[in-house]
Amino acid sequence: MKSFIKKSWAEPYKMKMVELLKMTTPQQRKKALAEAGYNTFLLRSEDVYIDLLTDSGTSAMSDQQWAGMMMGDEAYAGSRNFYHLEEVVKDIYGYKYLIPTHQGRGAENILSKILIKKGDIIPGNMYFTTTRLHQELAGGKFEDIIIDEAHDPENEFPFKGNVDLSKLEKLVKKYGSKKIPYVSIATSVNMAGGQPISIKNLKELRAFTKKHGIPIIHDMTRVAENAHFIQQKETGYHDKPIREIVKEICSLTDGATMSAKKDALVNIGGFLAVNDWNVFEEARNLVVVYEGLHTYGGLAGRDMEAMAIGIGESVSDNHIHARVGQVIYLGEKMMEYGVPIVKPIGGHGIFVDAKKFLPHISQDNFPAQTLAAEVYLDSGVRTMERGIVSAGRKANGENYYPKLELVRFTIPRRVYTQAHMDVIAESTARVFEHRHKIKGLKMIYEPKYLRFFQARFEKI
Ligand code: F0G
């Protein structure tokens, strides 16, 4: 007899140690927020109850990883942990050559400096803040070639990270393939809401770029989460293990930058991995200038060991199912309360549509920044703006006006429980109830680069 009882997922781990959380009063939060210039990046984490600012470097490491930390070989050159990491990257991702870096942007800097010349065009499936900035600082210009669906929070297309090949073709026609050093492809497109790219689309992109002699560089920061959506939603992949899908994704690209602070379950670390010896040789030289010797790249031996072990854990089906399952649980709760979120639910967090949530606040008064502040005030839950403040300014000084004006509720891996998810959804719903009374913000301090990190605001 077929059973109609639901089969739930559960965390494939249990707790061995806990970190106590600090609770704050509304008065304390009001004061802390004003002191932080209404920017959640400027809050002290001590004043935060549930921290959903980012999933970057905020994961809980396993006992295996902690044990690995004790096995750190802190030699300046040729650390055993480097060779272990190199072996794991080759085995699990399949890239030939590895350059460790202190985190993702360290790899982006080196790669951009090597591949981009002044006047080059770098097409990509939506920008990411640090990635685009390094491309621009190297003299290039980013061009968005993601499918239009990605810019529409309501559109439920399952692979909103896909590339629109006709957009790429137009760029190749306009500039010529010589001006395009590579196509920049992210798995689990962060700024679109953690939206995946399909294998089918990647294969089509591979065929197109091959014809034009253009390499593909993979921002593989959240590749395992992308693989989960391929397994769940792409025809022919339902029975494939995450590990195999991850390897297939990587095999369709020529190199990668990685922020290991996300998928790979470590608090610090990253790398550049490439298949081309010449690029590797140059990177191996340049890393010495910016990060450290090529066998440590700004990391301690113990950090490389924790990363090597974390990469192995990150491609486990049970892990990724529970990880994304928790995100989906939160998203569904929010939808029950009528909170407008980006659909389909992505891999690393819930992205609340601030334009829909606060339609009476114009984009010049920062609806997403305002909403992030209000959620903090309500419950001490810290989230992040991903809208006009994050988008920054163009080279000519004008603001970018992104279609997506979002607040990201990013879920750290293996850190919070389902009960925390309930508290978060309820707090957001409470703010939604009194949304009509909320007023916007004005910016009173704006730094030149990546302004969202340090900008300050005032209530209007
Ligand atoms: N690429 C993507 C897709 C990212 O999400 C990040 C970081 C980076 C590159 C840069 O890596 O931080 O290690 O230097 N994202 C963090 C976030 C900051 O909160 O989304 P990094």
Side-chain angles (χ1 to χ4, degrees), residues 41 53-56 102-106 108 128-131 186-190 219 221-222 257-262 269-270 348 384 386 408 410 453:
F41 276 102
L53 186 70
T54 176
D55 62 330
S56 181
H102 78 285
Q103 58 183 73
R105 69 198 73 179
E108 290 168 355
F128 182 71
T129 53
T130 58
T131 320
T187 34
S188 288
V189 179
N190 192 352
D219 180 341
T221 296
R222 298 180 183 85
T257 54
M258 171 63 149
S259 169
K261 300 170 73 172
K262 284 83 167 175
H348 65 306
M384 181 195 290
R386 291 273 87 150
R408 189 180 72 173
T410 344
F453 284 127

Side-chain angles (χ1 to χ4, degrees), residues 47-198:
D47 294 327
V48 172
Y49 169 37
I50 301 174
D51 203 348
L52 308 184
L53 186 70
T54 176
D55 62 330
S56 181
T58 52
S59 298
M61 291 207 296
S62 66
D63 51 355
Q64 300 285 323
Q65 285 177 292
W66 280 107
M69 297 281 281
M70 293 304 290
M71 306 291 279
D73 170 9
E74 306 307 341
Y76 189 91
S79 160
R80 175 176 68 228
N81 313 116
F82 166 76
Y83 295 105
H84 182 199
L85 179 63
E86 191 183 47
E87 203 183 283
V88 166
V89 167
K90 243 186 241 171
D91 176 35
I92 293 186
Y93 300 134
Y95 295 116
K96 279 194 205 153
Y97 308 115
L98 169 76
I99 303 279
T101 57
H102 78 285
Q103 58 183 73
R105 69 198 73 179
E108 290 168 355
N109 173 38
I110 291 168
L111 182 89
S112 302
K113 282 203 160 71
I114 294 171
L115 294 183
I116 300 172
K117 293 186 305 295
K118 198 169 166 23
D120 278 353
I121 302 295
I122 302 95
N125 57 347
M126 201 172 265
Y127 84 101
F128 182 71
T129 53
T130 58
T131 320
R132 183 177 68 190
L133 181 58
H134 279 299
Q135 291 162 354
E136 288 171 353
L137 290 173
K141 184 169 180 278
F142 176 84
E143 290 275 3
D144 193 2
I145 55 165
I146 204 164
I147 55 172
D148 289 338
E149 287 87 335
H151 294 281
D152 174 6
E154 297 277 310
N155 193 304
E156 303 228 19
F157 184 67
F159 293 103
K160 282 160 90 174
N162 280 358
V163 165
D164 183 336
L165 283 169
S166 69
K167 289 185 187 172
L168 179 58
E169 192 165 16
K170 261 193 209 140
L171 291 175
V172 173
K173 278 211 179 106
K174 182 167 171 197
Y175 298 101
S177 52
K178 292 244 150 38
K179 278 256 173 255
I180 302 179
Y182 61 93
V183 177
S184 176
I185 290 302
T187 34
S188 288
V189 179
N190 192 352
M191 301 303 277
Q195 302 295 328
I197 181 168
S198 71

Side-chain angles (χ1 to χ4, degrees), residues 271-286:
F271 58 77
L272 171 64
V274 293
N275 291 333
D276 182 311
W277 173 265
N278 294 323
V279 177
F280 168 66
E281 212 181 7
E282 229 179 305
R284 187 176 59 179
N285 193 204
L286 214 52

Side-chain angles (χ1 to χ4, degrees), residues 293-308:
L293 191 68
H294 61 282
T295 54
Y296 78 85
L299 296 169
R302 54 178 173 270
D303 298 328
M304 292 189 281
E305 191 59 30
M307 197 196 307

Side-chain angles (χ1 to χ4, degrees), residues 5 26 35 52 67 76 89 124 138 157 170 185 229 232 234 278 292 297 330 340 345 352 361 364 380 383 455:
I5 297 172
E35 276 172 15
L52 308 184
Y76 189 91
V89 167
F157 184 67
K170 261 193 209 140
I185 290 302
F229 289 114
Q232 299 299 311
E234 191 161 354
N278 294 323
L330 174 63
I345 295 167
V352 174
I361 299 180
D364 287 310
T383 58

